[in-house]
Amino acid sequence: MRQVGPERPSSFPLLRLALVALLSGCAGRGGNEPPAPTVVASYQPHEAAYSGVTHGRVEQTFNNQVAESEFGLKYFLRVEAVQAQAALDVTFTLDSITEATGFPGGSITARVDSAGGAVFTARLARDGALEDFDGGPSSGSLVGELADRVFEQFFPRIPPTGAEPGMQWSDTLTSEATVGGVENTVQSTNQYRATEWMSFAGRQALHIEAISEYTFSGSGVQAGQDFTLEGQGRRHFHQYLSENGVFLGFVSADTANAEAHLTDAGITIPVRQIRADTLSISW
């Protein structure tokens, strides 16, 4: 369950995320120039297609030896948001995964072939919160990785009064996610700042910086061994919202450090993951 409580921090770190924008109702600035956007008040009904890429590296240390592995994923996604009273009903359709390397858990080819057509649904609130998120295969699959990492946190959060350059706000979030192949409880504190109007994906966009600091903990079984996983991380976002309430995409970088405890063997293995994600609207 997500628990969100907006507040206004007294200071903001360095990064940028993007929010939504609506055209100003004021008169134009003269000539053929369009009116300057002001506040993105809420998300609007829309249909769009996106392409996404994720790359990462995992480092594990055992007996003073460092084992490294890399993973990558490229996918295409369609999103439809239709009006439903005071909110929007959203459908995510994963058209295809065209490349996948390095993910644990069996045949990559079989898992990629079965991923196309996976559908998720949710209710989108005015501030970007997704409720009643449901659908798709199990969280241990490639699609589950995308659901936890991208789909459930797809839309940038904005204040109830809307977002405009110069605004700062924050929220807290508790969710369930797959981290290192293990079901984890993730708690995050997120700080946002809307910076300026700029061009992104060929459109005018409100640019939002964000930093998410989070902790996670969970347990599971791997190679017949019971283990627990605990750690913390920091994620930097740049997100972009159009002036008419459409999410245009994001860029993020994430570093997490954790410890995997093999319960029966009494062994602790330090784990470090570095990850980068990009998503961009294509129409």
Side-chain angles (χ1 to χ4, degrees), residues 183-233:
E183 286 294 319
N184 279 260
T185 298
V186 182
Q187 295 183 319
S188 62
T189 300
N190 313 297
Q191 298 186 64
Y192 308 90
R193 183 177 68 171
T195 63
E196 62 183 342
W197 289 97
M198 60 183 297
S199 177
F200 181 83
R203 307 189 190 191
Q204 196 166 38
L206 181 60
H207 177 206
I208 300 173
E209 303 179 332
I211 291 180
S212 175
E213 295 189 348
Y214 59 89
T215 61
F216 54 91
S217 61
S219 60
V221 179
Q222 202 168 77
Q225 291 272 356
D226 292 331
F227 73 98
T228 60
L229 185 70
E230 296 182 346
Q232 60 185 12

Side-chain angles (χ1 to χ4, degrees), residues 44-57:
Q44 302 298 312
H46 65 277
E47 185 174 357
Y50 301 84
S51 60
V53 178
T54 182
H55 290 288
R57 184 175 75 251

Side-chain angles (χ1 to χ4, degrees), residues 55-224:
H55 290 288
R57 184 175 75 251
V58 177
E59 303 171 354
Q60 301 184 51
T61 304
F62 183 66
N63 285 341
N64 296 320
Q65 299 286 326
V66 178
E68 296 184 356
S69 60
E70 295 189 2
F71 58 89
L73 193 64
K74 184 175 182 179
Y75 59 93
F76 293 90
L77 173 71
R78 284 183 291 117
V79 176
E80 182 180 11
V82 298
Q83 194 69 52
Q85 298 181 348
L88 298 174
D89 282 340
V90 179
T91 301
F92 299 89
T93 302
L94 183 63
D95 281 340
S96 64
I97 295 177
T98 59
E99 296 177 22
T101 59
F103 284 89
S107 169
I108 289 291
T109 300
R111 294 164 72 199
V112 168
D113 291 343
S114 65
V119 176
F120 295 83
T121 59
R123 176 64 59 90
L124 174 64
R126 287 175 57 89
D127 66 352
L130 284 177
E131 303 169 349
D132 301 325
F133 188 87
D134 190 33
S138 68
S139 60
S141 68
L142 287 177
V143 179
E145 294 271 357
L146 288 174
D148 291 340
R149 182 76 182 184
V150 178
F151 303 163
E152 283 199 73
Q153 304 176 48
F154 192 81
F155 297 96
R157 303 302 294 271
I158 60 176
T161 56
E164 61 183 318
M167 291 186 65
Q168 299 180 26
W169 64 99
S170 69
D171 62 34
T172 59
L173 178 67
T174 299
S175 62
E176 302 297 318
T178 301
V179 181
V182 181
E183 286 294 319
N184 279 260
T185 298
V186 182
Q187 295 183 319
S188 62
T189 300
N190 313 297
Q191 298 186 64
Y192 308 90
R193 183 177 68 171
T195 63
E196 62 183 342
W197 289 97
M198 60 183 297
S199 177
F200 181 83
R203 307 189 190 191
Q204 196 166 38
L206 181 60
H207 177 206
I208 300 173
E209 303 179 332
I211 291 180
S212 175
E213 295 189 348
Y214 59 89
T215 61
F216 54 91
S217 61
S219 60
V221 179
Q222 202 168 77

Side-chain angles (χ1 to χ4, degrees), residues 29-43:
R29 290 173 292 173
N32 295 322
E33 294 184 19
T38 54
V39 179
V40 179
S42 65
Y43 288 90

